[in-house]
């Protein structure tokens, strides 16, 4: 999932300080699962903003709406009937959702209420870790299902560096050395020979280094 | 026991403090409560094992949020009180009443009185 967290309230208040009515839009997907921007968090932020405004003697009318997904036009479209009644839109989705709202509702200011952090997995209640950087050319098939791009601080592709100590990365004792994990796993699977295979230099152009990425599937296009 | 406690306190019953959520505490303040306290079972004595411990974390989160918006996290407390301990219940009610009295009315209450709509 895409993992995000709420921005400091002061920053959000700064965006909407001159507004009287705002549309606060949550998303039912990733940000609901990571407790950052689902229906519940929309309610909490709405309550907090209303109180912060009341305290200053101002009234803030907040319309709460949580879409199934903010990254699909058919759901973003659902706001079209009433978005115009509001001074601004505040999105509690990831950066993708914020931009979809901004591109659909051109005459409204759209502000982000979250900082989008990474693509990751839940490691227990309230803990998330990065697992994928969307490099566009997946290497997991030869690294035992453990990603050296996302999980090695240097994104090394040819084994651990000298900073690997007792299975931990030199950047922090909390961070596992991805290459230690890869080697342990391949050893357990008796697949260490896979690391001896020579492979071509990784093509980083699909990783975003060739500019914003776009994918078209002719079989699905309408 | 015929114990008394301050009449400023309104009790909202929950099946377990584990049921409480951030939004419940926030909305109490938004509607003008000067203070809120969550009275749960003693730690280690939750019938559902961890309900009161979860509530404690949510109270802590909400306190930070109240600090962030300038209401003051000190207006929110969590107490562990055994269900059978009436005297302690009355004592805590008195303690909280005095604490909130010292802090004065919530800024939200002032806004409500001035006619700022919520």
């Amino acid at each position: 999932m895409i993992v995000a967290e709420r921005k400091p309230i002061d920053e959000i208040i700064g965006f909407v300080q001159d507004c009287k009515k705002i549309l606060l839009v949550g998303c039912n997907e990733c940000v609901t699962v990571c407790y950052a921007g689902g229906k519940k968090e929309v309610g909490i932020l709405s309550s907090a903003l209303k109180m912060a405004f009341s305290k200053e003697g101002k009234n803030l009318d907040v319309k709460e709406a949580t879409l199934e997904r903010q990254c699909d036009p058919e759901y973003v479209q659902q706001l079209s009937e009433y978005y115009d009644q509001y001074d601004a839109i505040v999105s509690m989705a990831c950066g993708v959702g914020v931009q979809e709202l901004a591109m659909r509702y051109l005459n409204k200011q759209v502000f982000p209420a979250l900082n989008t952090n990474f693509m990751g997995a839940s490691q227990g209640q309230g803990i998330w870790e990065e697992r994928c950087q969307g490099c566009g050319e997946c290497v997991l098939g030869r690294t035992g299902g453990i990603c050296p791009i996302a999980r090695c601080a240097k994104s090394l592709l040819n084994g651990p560096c000298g900073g690997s100590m007792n299975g931990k990365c030199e950047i922090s004792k909390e961070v596992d050395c991805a290459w230690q994990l890869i080697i342990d796993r391949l050893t357990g699977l008796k697949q260490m020979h896979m690391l001896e295979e020579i492979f071509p230099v990784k093509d980083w152009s699909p990783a975003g280094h060739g500019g914003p990425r776009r994918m078209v599937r002719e079989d699905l296009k309408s | 026991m015929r114990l008394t406690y301050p009449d400023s306190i309104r009790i909202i019953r929950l099946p377990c403090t584990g049921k409480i959520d951030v939004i419940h505490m926030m909305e109490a303040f938004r509607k003008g409560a000067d203070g809120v306290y969550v009275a749960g079972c003693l730690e280690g004595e939750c019938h559902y094992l961890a309900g009161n411990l979860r509530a404690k974390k949510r109270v802590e989160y909400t306190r930070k949020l109240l600090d962030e918006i300038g209401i003051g996290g000190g207006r929110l407390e969590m107490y562990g009180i055994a269900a059978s301990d009436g005297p302690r219940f009355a004592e805590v009610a008195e303690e909280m009443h005095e604490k909130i009295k010292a802090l004065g009315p919530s800024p939200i209450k002032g806004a409500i009185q001035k006619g700022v709509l919520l």
Side-chain angles (χ1 to χ4, degrees), chain A residues 9 40 47 51 54-55 59, chain B residues 21 27 68-69 111 117-118:
Chain A
I9 295 274
K40 200 179 202 178
S47 188
M51 275 198 268
S54 298
K55 192 172 66 68
N59 180 37
Chain B
D21 207 293
E27 284 296 278
E68 267 195 276
I69 58 173
L117 296 172
L118 283 165

Side-chain angles (χ1 to χ4, degrees), chain B residues 93-105:
Chain B
E94 188 63 46
E95 189 181 312
M96 193 65 188
H97 174 80
E98 290 304 323
K99 183 182 174 182
I100 298 302
K101 215 162 86 174
L103 286 171

Side-chain angles (χ1 to χ4, degrees), chain A residues 126-176:
Chain A
I127 305 167
W128 296 271
E129 282 182 7
E130 184 166 19
R131 288 290 179 265
C132 179
Q133 285 189 358
C135 73
E137 195 196 54
C138 191
V139 299
L140 289 168
R142 53 172 193 263
T143 58
I146 293 157
C147 181
I149 312 289
R151 300 179 66 178
C152 165
K154 294 174 176 170
S155 296
L156 294 179
L157 282 165
N158 53 353
C161 71
S164 177
M165 294 273 283
N166 303 319
K168 299 291 175 187
C169 174
E170 65 183 339
I171 63 161
S172 163
K173 287 187 175 121
E174 304 273 301
V175 178
D176 289 323

Side-chain angles (χ1 to χ4, degrees), chain A residues 18-34:
Chain A
D18 297 325
C19 298
K20 288 191 166 59
K21 295 174 83 176
I22 62 163
L23 180 54
L24 182 57
V25 191
C27 178
N28 255 344
E29 293 285 346
C30 315
V31 292
T32 293
V33 184
C34 67

